Amino acid sequence: MGRDVPVVVFSRDDRRKYREKVRRCLDVFAQMLRESRFELERPLAGLEIELNIVDAAGEAAMRNTEVLAAIEQPDWATELGQFNIEINIEPQELSGDGPLRLENDVRARLNHAEERARSQGGHLVLVGILPTLREQDVHEGSLSANPRYRLLNEQIFAARGEDLHLCIEGVERLDTHADSVAPEAACTSVQLHLQVSPEAFAAHWNAAQAIAGAQVAAAANSPYLFGKELHRETRITLFEQATDTRPAELKAQGVRPRVWFGERWITSVFDLFEENVSYYPALLPLCEDEDPRAELEQGRIPQLHELTLHNGTIYRWNRPVYAVVNGMPHLRVENRVLPAGPSVADIAANAAFYYGLMRVLPYAERPIWSQMSFQAAEDNLAAAARHGLEARLYWPGMGEVPAAELILRRLLPMAHEGLARWGVNGPVADRLLGIIEGRCLTGRTGAGWQVERVRAHGGGRHEALRAMTLDYIARMHTNEPVHTWEV
C-alpha cells in the first residue's frame, strides 16, 4: 500500500467500476501467467525496514516530516505514524560476500539518517514495538500527513462501523479500544523480498509459511505495548487486531480478516490473487486509466494498478507482489513476519536464516507442506509470537519440540546448506547464522533482553521502560548481536 492516493469520497458507482476493473486485471494476470511473460528468478535480496523516532528521553517523537526532510534521500519514506519512517534497500546479489555488503549498506544508510535525525531532535530505533509508546501517543492526530493513511483509516472504520477492540492476553492483559488505526503504527517490521519465477512461486510461498513460526521464535523483539508485558512478539496479534475491518458479527460468520496467515497451501500464485478478489471488498476503490487488456494486446506490460492496490490492503504474513521494473514484470514473495532490530547485525542474521532456508525447502524432493497441515504452520506462528524461543513448534519427523531445538537441530543446518547454494562465502554465512545459533543457545532474543532489563531495573514501569530503551539504543549502535548484550 505504498502508493499515494488523493483525498476522495467514494460513491457506489466507484465501487462497482473498481470491482469490474480488478476482475479484468485478474483475467489479464492469468493470461500473463499462461504465456510466461515474466522475468525469471534472480538471486536478489531486498529489504524494507521500518523504524521509530524518539526524543532524547527515549519517548516517541512525532517528527517524521522533519526527519525525512533532513535525511533528503529518495529511499526513505513515511510510514503510518508520525513517529515512524521506512527505508527501502534495493535488491542486491546474495552470492560471495553479498550479505556482508548488504549489512554494511544498511548500517551506512542508518548512520547517515541518525545523524540527520539528531539535527531535528530525534533518534532512530530498530525495534518491533517502541517500549515507551503510550496509549495517548496513538490517535488519529498522530497519523502521518500523507492522505493515503487518513483515507485508509476512514475506510477501515466505515467498514467496521465501531471502534477497534484491542484485547491481548499475555504475561499481563491489555484491553482497550481505539478510534483510529494508529495503534498499527506501533508495529515496526522488516520485510524480506525474494524474486521468484511464476512456476516456483507456490513452492516458495508454502515454504515461507512453514518456517514463519521458527522465524518469529528466533527474532522476537516486541514484548511491551502501552506499558504492559504481553507476548514475546506482540506485534503479530496487534497488527491482526489494529487493521480488522470486521465487527464481531462478521467474525462469527467466518469472514476472513485482512491480516491473514491464509487457510491452505497453494498450487499457484494465482490462488492468492484470486482469493483477494473473491474474499475482500475494496478499501480504496481507485481506478486508473490503463486498460490492462489493451496494453497486453498491444505488446506492452500492464501495471495492473487496481489488482496491486487491492493486494496492498490485504496484509498476508507472506504476501505475493506483482511489479513491473524496467518494462519487465516479475513476482516476489514478501516475507512480513519479522520485527525490526535489535541491531543491524541481528537483522542481517534473520535475513540470512530466511534466505538460506528458502534456497533448500522449496526444492526438496518431498516438500515440507506435503508432510504437515496448514493449520500446524499457523499454530506454530501463534505459539512463537506468544512464547518466543520457549514455544513448542511442530515439525515433521520431530513432532512438537522447543523452538530452539528445532532451529539448532534441523533448520540451521538447512540454512547453511542454502547459503552455500546461493554462493555465499563460508565465513560470512558462519558469522550470521552463528548469531541465530547464539540466541538459541543462550535463550536470549531482543524480547528476552528487554524483559530481563526492565525487571532488573525495578521501580515504576514506565521509567524502567524508558531507561531500558535508552540502554537498548546505545547497544543497538554498537552493532553487537543481542544475545551478547549484558543485562
Side-chain angles (χ1 to χ4, degrees):
M1 233 298 289
R3 287 168 53 190
D4 290 345
V5 298
V7 177
V8 295
V9 175
F10 298 118
S11 67
R12 288 174 293 186
D13 195 46
D14 289 330
R15 295 187 180 279
R16 177 188 60 78
K17 289 178 180 176
Y18 186 80
R19 177 180 284 110
E20 291 172 356
K21 192 77 177 290
V22 167
R23 291 191 175 278
R24 195 180 318 148
C25 286
L26 187 65
D27 291 342
V28 170
F29 182 59
Q31 183 179 343
M32 294 176 70
L33 289 172
R34 289 194 301 271
E35 296 174 356
S36 300
R37 298 192 183 209
F38 287 85
E39 183 179 33
L40 298 180
E41 179 179 344
R42 298 173 64 203
L44 298 177
L47 295 177
E48 297 174 60
I49 305 174
E50 298 163 358
L51 301 96
N52 290 279
I53 306 170
V54 298
D55 59 21
E59 307 278 6
M62 309 295 166
R63 301 190 62 79
N64 67 355
T65 300
E66 297 87 344
V67 168
L68 285 171
I71 294 172
E72 206 176 5
Q73 293 291 333
D75 48 0
W76 289 87
T78 58
E79 252 299 323
L80 181 62
Q82 292 182 32
F83 56 94
N84 303 141
I85 55 176
E86 177 183 87
I87 183 172
N88 294 278
I89 309 296
E90 285 200 5
Q92 302 183 27
E93 296 283 348
L94 281 171
S95 58
D97 64 350
L100 178 61
R101 284 184 280 109
L102 184 64
E103 179 184 349
N104 290 337
D105 183 28
V106 172
R107 287 192 69 195
R109 294 178 194 228
L110 293 183
N111 287 340
H112 167 77
E114 168 66 15
E115 182 182 335
R116 295 299 183 90
R118 285 177 183 169
S119 72
Q120 302 300 314
H123 301 273
L124 303 183
V125 190
L126 292 164
V127 67
I129 295 176
L130 181 63
T132 55
L133 194 68
R134 295 170 294 190
E135 203 166 342
Q136 58 263 38
D137 293 326
V138 288
H139 50 81
E140 189 170 353
S142 61
L143 293 175
S144 287
N146 193 312
R148 76 173 182 262
Y149 300 123
R150 308 277 174 183
L151 187 56
L152 188 65
N153 182 66
E154 291 169 8
Q155 295 304 304
I156 286 177
F157 278 85
R160 281 187 62 83
E162 60 187 60
D163 285 354
L164 287 167
H165 184 204
L166 302 177
C167 186
I168 304 175
E169 295 275 0
V171 176
E172 297 169 347
R173 186 172 191 266
L174 175 70
D175 191 343
T176 189
H177 288 80
D179 60 2
S180 76
V181 297
E184 183 201 329
C187 305
T188 38
S189 310
V190 169
Q191 287 121 43
L192 304 177
H193 290 254
L194 182 62
Q195 184 175 324
V196 297
S197 67
E199 296 75 19
F201 188 95
H204 283 78
W205 187 85
N206 289 343
Q209 293 284 94
I211 63 173
Q215 281 184 275
V216 168
N221 196 30
S222 313
Y224 293 103
L225 176 63
F226 301 155
K228 295 184 181 292
E229 182 187 343
L230 299 168
H231 297 174
R232 280 299 193 254
E233 189 49 43
T234 306
R235 200 183 103 264
I236 298 293
T237 189
L238 173 61
F239 193 53
E240 289 170 348
Q241 295 185 27
T243 53
D244 200 341
T245 57
R246 307 167 302 164
E249 295 81 5
L250 290 184
K251 290 182 189 178
Q253 292 173 35
V255 171
R256 279 90 171 170
R258 290 194 95 95
V259 177
W260 201 34
F261 187 76
E263 60 191 15
R264 63 188 174 106
W265 305 117
I266 65 169
T267 58
S268 166
V269 63
F270 186 79
D271 295 348
L272 301 178
F273 283 100
E274 185 177 41
E275 286 179 351
N276 290 354
V277 175
S278 299
Y279 296 157
Y280 297 97
L283 279 182
L284 302 172
L286 294 159
C287 287
E288 300 283 347
D289 293 335
E290 177 190 84
D291 181 339
R293 189 169 287 119
E295 288 292 296
L296 198 62
E297 288 172 353
Q298 293 169 26
R300 294 190 292 266
I301 301 300
Q303 298 288 332
L304 305 181
H305 295 284
E306 294 77 15
L307 191 68
T308 57
L309 177 60
H310 189 51
N311 183 54
T313 65
I314 298 157
Y315 306 96
R316 296 176 185 272
W317 291 115
N318 285 290
R319 182 155 65 184
V321 175
Y322 168 91
V324 181
V325 178
N326 298 324
M328 285 293 292
H330 70 255
L331 296 172
R332 302 194 305 269
V333 178
E334 180 189 20
N335 180 257
R336 302 165 51 82
V337 299
L338 291 170
S343 66
V344 174
D346 285 302
I347 290 173
N350 294 339
F353 184 54
Y354 172 75
Y355 287 122
L357 289 173
M358 291 294 281
R359 194 66 181 84
V360 173
L361 286 170
Y363 304 94
E365 188 173 339
R366 188 180 175 201
I368 191 68
W369 52 95
S370 71
Q371 303 175 59
M372 67 188 289
S373 70
F374 193 86
Q375 186 62 53
E378 184 173 11
D379 291 345
N380 280 353
L381 177 59
R386 184 155 192 153
H387 302 294
L389 282 174
E390 295 179 1
R392 295 184 65 82
L393 307 182
Y394 174 80
W395 196 258
M398 297 183 75
E400 195 174 273
V401 296
E405 181 181 344
L406 168 61
I407 293 166
L408 289 168
R409 285 180 49 198
R410 191 64 58 90
L411 300 184
L412 273 175
M414 254 188 251
H416 272 284
E417 180 185 347
L419 292 182
R421 290 187 188 180
W422 281 122
V424 175
N425 291 346
V428 174
D430 290 346
R431 172 179 168 266
L432 293 177
L433 294 182
I435 292 173
I436 304 295
E437 180 182 25
R439 290 188 212 146
C440 292
L441 292 174
T442 61
R444 178 172 291 163
T445 59
W449 182 87
Q450 289 185 51
V451 170
E452 288 181 65
R453 187 72 180 79
V454 166
R455 290 177 180 171
H457 185 277
R461 173 63 62 84
H462 190 77
E463 181 54 32
L465 288 169
R466 197 182 65 78
M468 178 272 286
T469 299
L470 292 175
D471 193 11
Y472 179 105
I473 293 170
R475 293 168 187 268
M476 178 189 79
H477 284 297
T478 69
N479 202 38
E480 293 297 323
V482 72
H483 73 275
T484 67
W485 293 8
E486 294 180 1
V487 176

